[in-house]
Each structure stands twice: as C-alpha cells, then as structure tokens.
Amino acid sequence: MGSLDSVVFGKKKFSDILSEIYDNQKRKEKQISGLIAELKPLINDIGDATLIVPLIKEYLEIGVKNDEQLIKMSTIVQRALNSSGGEESLGITEEEKQELLKELDKITLETNKK
C-alpha cells in the first residue's frame, strides 16, 4: 500500500488523511450516541417527543454523513490497491482528488455547524 504513503499536500500523506477521517468518524459516533442517550430520558410525553425527536433525527443524519465518508474512503483504498501505479498512483485523477477534498471540507463544515 505504498501509494497510500504518497504526500498529498505539505507533509500530509494520503494514509494520514484516511486515518483522520476514520478517527473523526469514530469520535463523532461516540458523541452522537452519548447525546441521544442523554435526550432519551427527557421524553416523558408526546409534547416532549415532538421537541426532542427532531434533535435525535439530526444527530442520526450526522452519523449517516460520517458513514458516507467511510464508504468514500473504502472506494479510494480499493482504487489504490487495484492501481497499476504510474502518474495516478492512487487510481484517481487530480480532478477527482480535488472533488473529494472539497466534499470532505463541505461535510466537515456542516458537521461543525451542527
């Protein structure tokens, strides 16, 4: 998996970025589970549920977006493993790499806002 050790920018290797995405997803998963566990006991009647359930829904949506990042990561890893090497040693074009980085930035901003 030498292609994953390619420097993407600065001193940041591609494997470092994948590791950060995975670690962030796991941390967020624990945070979301904790927040949901804290909200559940606050639901005593239907009025409480109408206020709290939308919050739980938002937390779950964040979890889904995090899972989407893991799926994108596995696609990248699969391309890198199947790559024959050469200029595009990660199996993706420069344009695809930039698109993935923009998507990562977008999701990070959305997650931080919530």
Side-chain angles (χ1 to χ4, degrees):
M1 298 220 331
S3 60
L4 296 179
D5 290 328
S6 300
V7 175
V8 177
F9 58 90
K11 293 183 180 181
K12 199 67 109 167
K13 293 185 283 184
F14 196 68
S15 59
D16 295 336
I17 293 171
L18 294 177
S19 177
E20 282 181 35
I21 292 170
Y22 178 80
D23 292 342
N24 288 342
Q25 191 276 337
K26 285 306 201 184
R27 189 182 79 250
K28 295 257 186 248
E29 181 180 325
K30 287 179 185 176
Q31 289 174 338
I32 291 167
S33 295
L35 289 169
I36 290 172
E38 288 177 19
L39 290 175
K40 279 184 187 178
L42 299 176
I43 301 175
N44 296 320
D45 58 36
I46 192 72
D48 295 339
T50 59
L51 293 173
I52 294 174
V53 170
L55 293 173
I56 293 173
K57 178 184 175 273
E58 267 190 64
Y59 296 150
L60 291 173
E61 286 175 353
I62 291 170
V64 168
K65 286 182 180 181
N66 287 339
D67 289 343
E68 288 173 355
Q69 288 304 305
L70 287 178
I71 291 168
K72 288 178 183 180
M73 267 179 36
S74 7
T75 301
I76 292 167
V77 170
Q78 182 180 19
R79 283 184 178 183
L81 292 174
N82 292 336
S83 174
S84 60
E87 295 244 343
E88 295 175 3
S89 60
L90 293 176
I92 60 175
T93 65
E94 185 63 31
E95 182 180 312
E96 289 173 318
K97 185 174 21 170
Q98 291 304 317
E99 185 179 324
L100 287 170
L101 289 172
K102 285 179 187 176
E103 184 68 22
L104 175 61
D105 289 341
K106 177 182 166 187
I107 290 174
T108 302
L109 286 173
E110 288 176 8
T111 303
N112 289 337
K113 285 180 184 178
K114 293 181 181 190

